[in-house]
Amino acid sequence: MFKPHVTVACVVHAQGKFLVVEETINDKALWNQPAGHLEANETLVQAAARELWEETGIDAIPQHFIRMHQWIAPDNTPFLRFLFAIELNETCATWPNDGDIDRCLWVTADEILTASNLRSPLVAESIRCYQSGQRYPLALIGEFNWPFTSDA
């Protein structure tokens, strides 16, 4: 049975800037969107909000679904990556709660698209998807008969 890793990521935008998280992997500082794995007993939207808080300290819920990417990483690990959009009124201070995150940066789309230190090509592709205007309601990926929330 094929069992890809399920991950979530957030394109966080405010005042023409995008939020990236920087982490050191193999002695190199790499940029990513706030992102991580789906955990047991959580919805995709809950996972995205949790990862955002863990990696940036920002408490926000995604407003839109952008895209799902099916991807095979260079090490042949298969992924399904669910991408969300979060629009903030202004850039804000960050404080990573995840020890793997060194810092957060507010940068322009061009800085991301031309960066040589992206964790994966999906980081730039996520910005291109965001720039294309792709936005879908969260209900597109809604849970069904989900027993882990109070409204079930």
Side-chain angles (χ1 to χ4, degrees):
M1 176 184 279
F2 182 63
K3 295 183 181 180
H5 292 249
V6 177
T7 60
V8 294
C10 296
V11 172
V12 182
H13 177 257
Q15 298 177 316
K17 301 271 181 133
F18 294 89
L19 186 62
V20 294
V21 298
E22 186 177 87
E23 55 192 328
T24 302
I25 300 174
N26 297 325
D27 297 322
K28 186 172 181 180
L30 301 177
W31 287 358
N32 196 4
Q33 277 94 23
H37 284 85
L38 175 68
E39 299 291 339
N41 303 337
E42 68 184 356
T43 66
L44 292 164
V45 172
Q46 289 169 336
R50 176 187 50 76
E51 287 291 347
L52 178 69
W53 182 85
E54 287 177 1
E55 295 192 355
T56 71
I58 296 173
D59 187 15
I61 296 172
Q63 292 123 347
H64 296 97
F65 174 62
I66 297 177
R67 184 165 183 168
M68 190 275 294
H69 289 101
Q70 186 172 358
W71 184 61
I72 298 176
D75 67 359
N76 289 320
T77 302
F79 286 90
L80 296 177
R81 185 178 193 251
F82 291 82
L83 182 64
F84 297 92
I86 296 178
E87 292 287 339
L88 300 176
N89 291 329
E90 55 192 33
T91 61
C92 57
T94 59
W95 54 96
N97 297 296
D98 180 334
D100 291 335
I101 304 300
D102 300 326
R103 63 182 179 153
C104 303
L105 302 162
W106 289 98
V107 297
T108 66
D110 285 342
E111 288 174 288
I112 294 169
L113 295 173
T114 61
S116 61
N117 64 327
L118 301 181
R119 175 143 184 206
S120 85
L122 281 177
V123 178
E125 180 60 17
S126 296
I127 297 301
R128 287 190 285 273
C129 289
Y130 176 90
Q131 289 177 321
S132 77
Q134 294 180 33
R135 304 285 187 285
Y136 303 99
L138 296 177
L140 184 68
I141 54 164
E143 63 277 359
F144 172 74
N145 225 12
W146 193 248
F148 304 108
T149 56
S150 60
D151 60 337

